[in-house]
Amino acid sequence: MSRSAHPAGPRHGDVLPEGHYLAPPSDLNALDPKVWSRTVARDASGVATVGGITVTALAAEFGTPAYVVDEADFRARARAWHRAFGAEGVAADVYYAGKAFLSKAVVRWLQEEGLSLDVCSPGELAVALAGGMPPERIALHGNNKSVAELEQAVKAGVGHIVVDSTAEIGRLAEIAERQGVRQPVLIRVTVGVEAHTHEFIATAHEDQKFGFSLAQGSAARAVRDVLARPGLELRGLHSHIGSQIFDTAAFEVAAHRVVALLAEIRDEYGVELPEIDLGGGLGIAYTSEDDPREPAEIATALAEIVRRECAAKRLATPRLSVEPGRAIVGPTAFTLYQVGTVKPLPGLRTYVSVDGGMSDNIRTALYDADYSVALVSRTSEAEPMLVRVVGKHCESGDIVVRDAFLPADLTPGDLIAVPATGAYCRSMASNYNHALRPPVLAVAQGTARVIVRRETEEDLLRLDIG
Ligand code: LLP
């Protein structure tokens, strides 16, 4: 469903108050495989199932709200990324971006499927190590890593540290020298490209906190600084250009600029750096309108771009890495809610309040993100009704799904679910209004288990020491 100008004049009940038109889907009971995880279906009685378990059984056993991760789907997507890059004849690594969602179970799945892991905080590093990820398969990011954090990472033997500032180069070099190691690093380069979904702007994104600017020469100075430090081993360059990107055009510009710096480094210092990391940011379908590309297609395109750019500069193709987060975990989970109230506002829309809200999905309020929603505890033949799904927080911006259709016979007690909430929902969840963050359930082959448990009031009170 998309918001668009009304094509043929208003029709009762489906015109948004802002004067835009939202078409109801042809079948409200359908669960579009574009946005639902792969094992989601409806059983003979119309109840939605995932991994062979009904959502009603999940709600009865674990309560709502809950994030439900389809483990087989997660593994399949992780494997697809790993294979796609491995298959291109280009030496490549896939670093899952843990900021999208990280837990010890996820770390195990990643390891078993052959992926590496990108972390960007000491907390994420702790979970990665606790989950058993070999440290050499971890890359650490961050624009303000403290001395203590860097010491901990070097001591743990983290495979790559992506350096982001002059101060950090000095700190890290000293730590490595003190610990008697040579720490492999990548330099994060700001390539002057900002990309989101279908659009990208080149030369427009210098004004931000991450990385060393190519255009202003600070990337070249960082290279000189790192090469001069015996404690640091410069492995390559890193670039990350944005989020929810649907095509490879912006990556092409980024790769062109990164490879140009590789060539300059070769010309000036006589070294060919062996690695380049193009970051994450590949988009997923949040609604049926979105059409993301398959990992294999993206892998082919990115590998080809890097190969071509390097050939043009007479460089050997470096080892390529990428850092998809959303594209792996995003589509693999939905959030299961129970409807608490249904409040029609005549001439406007119907507000459906669920037992969660902006504390379990801040993306709608923060980014005006679009989501879809479906009634999952039963099917219904009732007419579509225009709804806004809202939470139970004390704030009118507490919106989970801004505009959607649900059947007009929706009643308190029904279960509804919002698909494509695997990325940046649990990881950005808060305790606003002292909400208890929902559990994460992993479902596979007829079994469900809690991989992150629901918070309790004791958890909240444990931090509040009076
Ligand atoms: N690598 C780096 C260096 C990053 O900064 C990011 C995301 C990623 C990889 C993973 O990007 P992904 O493939 O997941 O798009 N909270 C926002 C997204 C912020 C992403 C920040 N960096 C959201 O909810 O959309």
Side-chain angles (χ1 to χ4, degrees), residues 95 97 99-100 118 141 188 210 238-240 242-245 277 279-283 286 323-327 363 366-367 371 423-425 428:
Y95 284 78
K99 69 205 81 180
D118 144 16
H141 278 274
R188 177 148 175 182
F210 293 108
H238 179 284
S239 147
H240 172 77
S243 297
Q244 189 60 0
I245 306 167
D277 188 318
L282 294 151
Y286 281 104
E323 299 169 337
R326 186 190 324 263
R363 298 191 71 263
L366 194 57
Y367 310 119
Y371 283 93
Y424 304 108
C425 287
M428 292 174 80

